[in-house]
């Protein structure tokens, strides 16, 4: 008889996390569906019964993770967790020099500290099961999309963590998969507005930022259900162990662009795609006007002296 499988999915209340949870339940898994809001998972519980186990979890809160670990140690048969799916994420689409310390801290607590803390706490349960750890990575972690410096940095950090973890836990029978994710139709787009003092806070600059925020929805993103089905296939196919797997719209295309396109050409293409050149034109004109004003003030001062 096959062993009953147990999974823990973070960020399970919507988007990728919700659909991965649903796909696992369809295939007979027991799933700890974890998120700050558990109400959205109640319909899954109604459909799949006690195999769906909603749990309130804020991955940025170490105490939440520790308390959940203690519960799992009591509830899991033989203390075996077969899948830890680190999906909870925080978006951030702002110019690099506009991101406040608070936003930086929140982004890294959710996107980096949360998964790392979760892996540390739940690792004994995963090792017991010779299970799988999955991260929802991002193309932003490999490609320098404009207005995504902090989000990209957080994803690049977790990509590298996943790769090192793969090397360390592989000999113990644990698979580690970094899902480098392209376009998926979720509601993760950043809704923060530009700070009032931003150098891009003028019509052309705002248009460039909004173009970046709508990047995914304008490129025929994959449905979360399709993404979840492919991802769970990867998880259940124990014969593959590549560390990085590319899923979602444009994922494979961007992978090859990053390998083959000269960096200067890549930057030019990104600036053009995200409508940055009209914004730069305005900024350069403002800078030139400012220089002329300073020059005139200097000349007037010299005359008066």
């Amino acid at each position: 008889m096959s062993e009953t499988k147990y999974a823990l999915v973070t960020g399970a209340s919507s988007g990728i996390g919700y659909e991965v949870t649903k796909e696992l339940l369809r295939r007979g898994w027991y799933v700890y569906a974890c998120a700050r809001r558990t109400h959205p998972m109640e319909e899954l519980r109604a459909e799949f019964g006690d195999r769906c186990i909603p749990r309130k979890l804020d991955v940025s809160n170490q105490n939440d993770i520790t308390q959940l670990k203690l519960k799992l140690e009591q509830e899991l048969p033989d203390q075996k967790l077969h899948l830890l799916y680190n999906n909870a994420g925080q978006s951030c689409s702002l110019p690099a020099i506009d991101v406040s310390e608070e936003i930086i801290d929140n982004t890294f607590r959710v996107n980096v500290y949360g998964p790392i803390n979760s892996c540390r706490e739940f690792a004994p349960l995963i090792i017991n099961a010779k299970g799988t750890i999955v991260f929802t990575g991002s193309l932003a972690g490999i490609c320098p999309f404009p207005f995504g410096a902090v989000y990209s940095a957080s994803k690049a950090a977790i990509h590298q963590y996943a790769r090192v973890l793969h090397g360390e836990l592989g000999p113990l029978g644990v698979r580690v998969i970094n899902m480098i994710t392209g376009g998926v139709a979720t509601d993760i787009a950043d809704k923060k507005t530009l700070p009032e003092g931003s150098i891009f806070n003028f019509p052309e600059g705002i248009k460039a930022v909004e173009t970046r925020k709508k990047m995914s929805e304008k490129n025929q993103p994959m449905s979360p259900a399709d993404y979840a089905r492919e991802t769970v296939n990867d998880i259940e196919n124990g014969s593959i162990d590549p560390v990085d797997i590319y899923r979602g719209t444009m994922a494979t295309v961007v992978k090859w662009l990053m390998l083959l396109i000269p960096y200067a050409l890549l930057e030019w293409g990104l600036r053009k795609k995200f409508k940055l050149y009209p914004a730069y034109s305005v900024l350069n004109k403002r800078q030139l006007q400012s220089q002329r004003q300073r020059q005139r003030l200097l000349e007037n001062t010299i005359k008066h002296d």
Side-chain angles (χ1 to χ4, degrees):
M1 295 180 64
S2 60
E3 184 179 19
T4 301
K5 298 290 185 71
Y6 287 83
L8 188 157
V9 180
T10 68
S13 60
S14 64
I16 289 172
Y18 183 89
E19 292 297 336
V20 166
T21 297
K22 191 172 185 178
E23 185 66 25
L24 289 167
L25 290 167
R26 282 199 189 104
R27 302 190 190 197
W29 289 64
Y30 282 73
V31 183
Y32 285 86
C34 301
R36 289 178 297 178
R37 300 177 297 111
T38 60
H39 175 72
M41 285 89 85
E42 290 304 327
E43 67 177 61
L44 293 179
R45 187 168 177 82
E47 181 177 355
F48 296 100
D50 62 3
R51 286 195 293 108
C52 179
I53 311 166
R55 287 288 186 269
K56 187 174 182 180
L57 175 68
D58 179 353
V59 297
S60 68
N61 186 321
Q62 173 61 41
N63 186 61
D64 276 13
I65 297 172
T66 302
Q67 292 303 312
L68 181 57
K69 178 193 72 170
L70 295 175
K71 290 182 180 179
L72 292 181
E73 288 175 341
Q74 297 172 354
E75 296 174 3
L76 290 172
D78 300 319
Q79 293 194 349
K80 288 184 178 181
L81 180 64
H82 301 85
L83 172 64
L84 170 60
Y85 201 117
N86 294 291
N87 171 70
Q90 174 65 53
S91 63
C92 180
S93 298
L94 288 171
I97 59 175
D98 286 335
V99 188
S100 68
E101 183 177 0
E102 180 183 0
I103 293 173
I104 295 170
D105 186 59
N106 187 47
T107 302
F108 271 78
R109 282 188 178 280
V110 175
N111 294 353
V112 182
Y113 302 163
I116 291 175
N117 289 334
S118 296
C119 287
R120 181 188 64 248
E121 297 299 325
F122 300 131
L125 307 175
I126 291 286
I127 293 170
N128 287 345
K130 296 188 181 299
T132 302
I133 298 173
V134 179
F135 300 87
T136 298
S138 173
L139 289 179
I142 66 168
C143 183
F145 294 118
F147 308 120
V150 169
Y151 179 75
S152 294
S154 72
K155 287 301 181 179
I158 210 64
H159 287 188
Q160 194 65 3
Y161 177 81
R163 290 161 186 157
V164 174
L165 192 69
H166 179 276
E168 292 179 353
L169 295 188
L172 301 178
V174 175
R175 294 166 69 220
V176 176
I177 300 174
N178 179 34
M179 291 291 178
I180 299 181
T181 303
V184 180
T186 67
D187 191 32
I188 196 175
D190 195 353
K191 297 177 177 61
K192 291 186 288 294
T193 58
L194 279 174
E196 185 176 341
S198 171
I199 64 169
F200 289 98
N201 196 4
F202 56 91
E204 293 83 354
I206 293 170
K207 184 175 182 180
V209 173
E210 291 303 313
T211 299
R212 167 64 177 89
K213 289 181 179 181
K214 296 176 181 178
M215 174 178 67
S216 179
E217 68 182 68
K218 289 185 176 181
N219 287 284
Q220 298 180 325
M222 175 183 284
S223 76
D226 289 342
Y227 178 93
R229 183 171 59 254
E230 291 187 7
T231 298
V232 176
N233 285 343
D234 294 328
I235 292 167
E236 293 191 331
N237 183 358
S239 63
I240 63 169
D241 190 24
V243 187
D244 293 334
I245 296 178
Y246 291 76
R247 290 282 178 256
T249 301
M250 297 297 290
T252 303
V253 172
V254 172
K255 169 189 174 181
W256 286 107
L257 287 176
M258 292 301 300
L259 290 171
L260 301 174
I261 300 295
Y263 198 79
L265 182 59
L266 176 72
E267 281 192 327
W268 174 85
L270 290 170
R271 290 169 185 155
K272 189 171 181 63
K273 177 178 176 59
F274 292 103
K275 307 184 187 302
L276 274 163
Y277 283 111
Y280 291 143
S281 179
V282 172
L283 288 170
N284 287 330
K285 286 178 181 177
R286 287 182 176 181
Q287 187 176 34
L288 182 59
Q289 290 170 353
S290 178
Q291 289 172 347
R292 287 173 177 170
Q293 287 174 352
R294 288 196 298 271
Q295 182 65 30
R296 284 196 294 268
L297 285 171
L298 179 61
E299 290 172 354
N300 288 334
T301 301
I302 293 173
K303 285 180 182 179
H304 285 109
D305 289 346

